[in-house]
């Protein structure tokens, strides 16, 4: 699964998921891509499930590019813990996805789209692959 090798700070602010993707919004490497239509936090497990679905379908027939990386840590406090006493311990890693972001590039996108928690659309390098 995708996780950072090392980070400067273990715990991060939650942030806001506003606006559209300005970077990574066009098809850069392959011919086709899967573009996000809504904002979400995508976990490293969800990215891995989509990658597995695509690689099983293509069977060594081409290359797949993963255009997102889970670089934000998510913390969680233990169950039945009283309020206060600081922020919880890091539990997993997520990628912040904004509308217009290209997630993967290659064919077999329909299988990958079923594994993701957001609405997506199929874009190609011929039509620019940018947000509408």
């Amino acid at each position: 699964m995708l996780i950072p090798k090392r980070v400067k700070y273990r715990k991060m602010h939650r942030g806001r998921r506003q606006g559209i993707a300005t970077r990574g919004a066009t098809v850069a490497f392959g011919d086709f891509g899967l573009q996000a239509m809504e904002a979400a936090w995508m976990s490293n497990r969800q990215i891995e499930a989509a990658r597995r679905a695509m690689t099983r379908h293509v069977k060594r027939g081409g290359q797949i590019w993963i255009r997102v990386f889970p670089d934000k840590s998510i913390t969680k406090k233990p169950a039945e813990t009283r309020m206060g006493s600081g922020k919880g311990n890091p539990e997993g890693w997520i990628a912040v996805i904004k509308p217009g972001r290209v997630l993967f590039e290659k064919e077999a996108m329909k299988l990958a789209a079923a594994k993701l928690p957001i609405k997506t659309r199929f874009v190609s390098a011929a039509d620019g692959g940018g947000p509408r």
Side-chain angles (χ1 to χ4, degrees):
M1 267 190 283
L2 297 171
I3 59 168
K5 286 189 180 86
R6 52 192 294 265
V7 291
K8 190 167 184 179
Y9 300 109
R10 288 172 51 227
K11 301 176 183 180
M12 299 181 184
H13 290 288
R14 290 175 68 86
R16 294 194 305 267
R17 294 181 289 197
Q18 290 183 320
I20 60 169
T22 54
R23 293 166 161 245
T26 58
V27 177
F29 302 106
D31 296 327
F32 303 102
L34 196 67
Q35 190 176 48
M37 298 294 289
E38 56 190 21
W41 280 353
M42 195 178 297
S43 71
N44 55 353
R45 292 174 183 272
Q46 290 166 334
I47 296 169
E48 179 66 14
R51 184 197 65 79
R52 279 186 184 167
M54 284 192 296
T55 51
R56 283 201 180 117
H57 185 266
V58 296
K59 295 184 189 129
R60 294 179 298 171
Q63 194 171 3
I64 295 171
W65 289 273
I66 303 172
R67 297 281 308 274
V68 291
F69 186 80
D71 57 353
K72 183 182 181 74
S73 65
I74 290 299
T75 60
K76 198 167 195 176
K77 290 177 83 82
E80 300 180 9
T81 305
R82 292 185 176 180
M83 292 291 106
S85 70
K87 195 171 170 79
N89 294 322
E91 289 290 316
W93 296 91
I94 55 132
V96 179
I97 307 297
K98 291 187 175 183
R101 180 68 190 247
V102 175
L103 307 172
F104 302 99
E105 294 189 19
K106 180 66 185 131
E107 297 87 28
M109 298 297 173
K110 200 172 195 180
L111 292 169
K115 303 286 181 187
L116 301 177
I118 57 175
K119 288 181 188 172
T120 56
R121 72 180 179 130
F122 189 75
V123 293
S124 67
D127 36 292
R132 290 185 184 184

